[in-house]
Amino acid sequence: MTIGIIKERKNPPDRRVVLSPIECRKILKKYPQLKVKVESSDDRFFTDQDYINHGIEIVKNVSDCDVLLGVKEVPIDHLIPNKKYFFFSHTIKKQKYNRKLLQAILTKNIELYDHEVITNEKGQRLVAFGRYAGIVGAYNGFRAYGLKNDLYKLPKAEELHDQLMLIHELQKLKLPNIKVVLTGKGRVGNGAKEMLKGMRMKEVTVNQFLTKEFSEPVYVQIDVLDYNKRKDGQQKNQQDFFNNPSEYESNFMRFAKVADVYIAGHFYGAGAPYIFTRQDAKSTEFHIKVIADISCDVDGPVASTIRSSTIANPIYGYHPLTEKEVDYRDEQAIAVMAVDNLPCELPKDASEGFGESFAKNVIPAFFNNDQQGVLERARMTKSGRLTNRFKYLQDYVDGN
């Protein structure tokens, strides 16, 4: 079997890759029957020479490879018919802008495996960039805080080499005694927490955060039952929230009254209450002035996220009273950082971490007859048709 690592062609170019040079070398050692070819690219963090140095073949054409690995969507005119492809297709939620891509994949008889649906038997994702979104998002949040309040200027994350350099920059800061609230305890939330711990910020309990004043900056990491409550006042477990989200309402305002910075690293499920609404943000008690929305659901649970922002221009202002975008330095504005492709700013670490997970959880499936069903669950298309698990996309494909 020959794996081809494809050149990323989406614009702006993504510098990440599924398998780093070191990871390629490791899997070739473990699976002697495997070949890896890398399509030449000037955009990757890892250069062609980096792969050559590890004994990996660089090619101009990957059409003779059996399986093609990419990160972002492959432009339609670069799809090679009758191949197996792995990439983030951004079609599983019926995203309108990628309908033609999925139609082309079916027409060209491509077997598509979407990274987003590579899961174990319990439905938990096995490969993801979430941790790196959390790492960069937290850093960008403090960068936004410095710019909003004219306190300091941090370099952009993309100008730094790795997570350690990001932490090193944060450790230099002399912050006032601000309070930071972080939602989420999954990959993203815990990635953000790594940065807060790395900069040696003090972690406090929910009760301390809500009731005490501190002489140093502090943070609290909260989960769904901290910022949501049942409408009937009953105390139930987290599973009840996931099973019956419509029975809950947001309880986030108690944090918004005392927090200065909000880092949003939660997963938002359909039917769950919004964390705060545009009406909430209008309240004179709403104290938060900087929001790093890593989750980046536009017009969703974080009301100030009225659009996604870019790596080039990561911060914009949201005026709570007019509900319009303004300069983030405006006194009334909430500074919003809502970049939707944060891991791109940390391409080295993100590629290495993703590649380790891919090598551990996906590559073996090619050689053990897919014992755990990893490939079967992630296969969206086969023989020009949607697989059973993804039949729900048929009306989307049909343009209805």
Side-chain angles (χ1 to χ4, degrees):
M1 185 176 119
T2 306
I3 286 177
I5 295 172
I6 59 178
K7 173 184 167 77
E8 296 295 325
R9 290 182 166 88
K10 194 174 178 184
N11 213 12
D14 198 303
R15 301 183 67 217
R16 294 172 294 172
V17 68
V18 175
L19 295 171
S20 69
I22 289 173
E23 210 57 54
C24 288
R25 193 178 67 192
K26 283 183 188 171
I27 61 169
L28 287 172
K29 194 173 178 186
K30 193 170 181 182
Y31 302 100
Q33 65 273 56
L34 184 65
K35 275 187 181 175
V36 177
K37 295 183 178 183
V38 176
E39 189 176 5
S40 179
S41 170
D42 295 328
D43 296 319
R44 270 188 213 109
F45 175 85
F46 298 105
T47 65
D48 288 357
Q49 193 58 47
D50 290 334
Y51 283 96
I52 291 165
N53 292 347
H54 283 87
I56 315 299
E57 188 181 352
I58 295 291
V59 295
K60 293 283 187 201
N61 190 320
V62 287
S63 58
D64 62 340
C65 298
D66 307 296
V67 178
L68 299 169
L69 306 183
V71 178
K72 288 282 184 70
E73 302 98 310
V74 177
I76 290 169
D77 54 347
H78 285 278
L79 287 168
I80 305 168
N82 310 313
K83 296 291 180 188
K84 291 180 170 73
Y85 271 93
F86 284 75
F87 57 83
F88 287 103
S89 72
H90 298 118
T91 56
I92 61 171
K93 295 178 188 167
K94 303 186 178 182
Q95 290 96 321
K96 285 181 187 172
Y97 60 91
N98 276 337
R99 178 187 279 128
K100 286 182 178 170
L101 173 64
L102 189 51
Q103 289 169 337
I105 284 165
L106 292 164
T107 304
K108 291 175 186 251
N109 190 35
I110 285 166
E111 264 186 44
L112 172 65
Y113 299 79
D114 193 306
H115 295 307
E116 204 168 336
V117 289
I118 296 174
T119 60
N120 62 17
E121 291 94 334
K122 294 178 183 172
Q124 295 161 325
R125 288 181 64 183
L126 295 173
V127 294
F129 285 109
R131 177 187 165 217
Y132 303 95
I135 288 167
V136 178
Y139 178 87
N140 283 0
F142 287 107
R143 183 172 179 271
Y145 182 81
L147 292 169
K148 162 81 174 162
N149 296 291
D150 204 19
L151 287 176
Y152 53 80
K153 285 185 178 172
L154 284 172
K156 281 190 168 186
E158 64 174 340
E159 295 166 13
L160 302 170
H161 190 258
D162 56 20
Q163 183 189 9
L164 286 176
M165 286 183 75
L166 267 60
I167 290 172
H168 181 65
E169 290 295 330
L170 293 179
Q171 285 175 345
K172 295 178 192 173
L173 302 181
K174 297 264 190 295
L175 288 167
N177 54 337
I178 57 171
K179 287 183 171 181
V180 179
V181 59
L182 164 63
T183 49
K185 292 195 172 180
R187 278 190 179 95
V188 176
N190 288 334
K193 186 177 183 174
E194 284 179 43
M195 302 303 283
L196 296 165
K197 286 173 75 174
M199 64 194 285
R200 305 190 190 98
M201 189 177 284
K202 181 186 174 81
E203 183 175 14
V204 296
T205 65
V206 167
N207 189 50
Q208 288 170 328
F209 190 87
L210 296 175
T211 61
K212 290 191 171 180
E213 293 297 321
F214 295 89
S215 56
E216 62 182 314
V218 299
Y219 78 94
V220 67
Q221 184 184 24
I222 58 176
D223 213 344
V224 286
L225 294 185
D226 296 313
Y227 58 89
N228 292 293
K229 61 181 179 182
R230 276 190 68 97
K231 293 171 185 174
D232 60 13
Q234 289 187 62
Q235 301 275 323
K236 295 205 175 180
N237 62 15
Q238 206 170 53
Q239 198 54 49
D240 180 66
F241 173 80
F242 295 130
N243 293 343
N244 309 293
S246 60
E247 301 295 313
Y248 285 76
E249 61 189 4
S250 173
N251 194 21
F252 183 74
M253 270 302 283
R254 60 191 186 137
F255 295 96
K257 287 174 183 177
V258 296
D260 301 278
V261 175
Y262 171 29
I263 301 172
H266 56 271
F267 169 78
Y268 178 73
Y274 280 2
I275 293 171
F276 72 87
T277 63
R278 294 187 178 192
Q279 207 52 44
D280 293 332
K282 286 181 168 72
S283 166
T284 53
E285 292 188 297
F286 193 91
H287 189 254
I288 298 167
K289 279 290 187 235
V290 174
I291 296 178
D293 187 1
I294 305 166
S295 59
C296 195
D297 291 307
V298 175
D299 290 325
V302 178
S304 51
T305 303
I306 52 176
R307 66 171 176 87
S308 57
S309 55
T310 63
I311 292 170
N313 294 295
I315 312 162
Y316 61 86
Y318 172 76
H319 197 295
L321 298 181
T322 64
E323 300 182 7
K324 296 282 194 295
E325 183 175 330
V326 293
D327 188 313
Y328 69 84
R329 286 169 293 240
D330 184 303
E331 204 174 316
Q332 301 294 310
I334 297 169
V336 178
M337 188 294 304
V339 175
D340 62 2
N341 57 342
L342 287 162
C344 296
E345 296 194 67
L346 207 63
K348 176 183 179 288
D349 288 7
S351 298
E352 288 173 346
F354 191 90
E356 281 171 22
S357 301
F358 195 90
K360 178 185 169 187
N361 296 302
V362 183
I363 299 291
F366 290 115
F367 300 99
N368 66 15
N369 209 22
D370 195 24
Q371 275 174 10
Q372 273 78 45
V374 172
L375 299 176
E376 187 60 36
R377 283 188 294 275
R379 186 193 287 123
M380 290 180 63
T381 60
K382 188 180 182 182
S383 305
R385 294 193 177 145
L386 292 164
T387 57
N388 285 337
R389 193 165 174 228
F390 297 93
K391 280 276 195 287
Y392 73 91
L393 293 171
Q394 191 61 56
D395 63 337
Y396 163 68
V397 169
D398 294 342
N400 298 330

